Amino acid sequence: MPGAIDRFAARIWFAACSPTVSGGVILPFRHLSAVPVIPAVAGNGLVIFGFWLFRVGARRFHTVFGSWLAA
């Protein structure tokens, strides 16, 4: 239906907020770990995953369908 809001895109954006926030919360505390590389990689990985989900939601919102790998 033209002009209809794609609610699935909004759900993807909402789901993208969790890993992005979680990664942002982990990153400032990497100095508390004995091996600071592990929290840095985990935090940055979650942030990148969240940004990827934002991109998937934007593609869905603009009706650019395709595989999730294309995003």
Side-chain angles (χ1 to χ4, degrees), residues 29-58:
F29 298 107
R30 65 179 181 249
H31 68 279
L32 298 176
S33 174
V35 183
V37 172
I38 294 171
V41 169
N44 284 315
L46 285 170
V47 169
I48 290 170
F49 177 64
F51 286 157
W52 176 76
L53 283 176
F54 284 127
R55 171 83 170 136
V56 168

Side-chain angles (χ1 to χ4, degrees), residues 1-7 61 63:
M1 180 163 80
I5 297 173
D6 189 359
R7 287 179 173 39
F61 182 75
T63 63

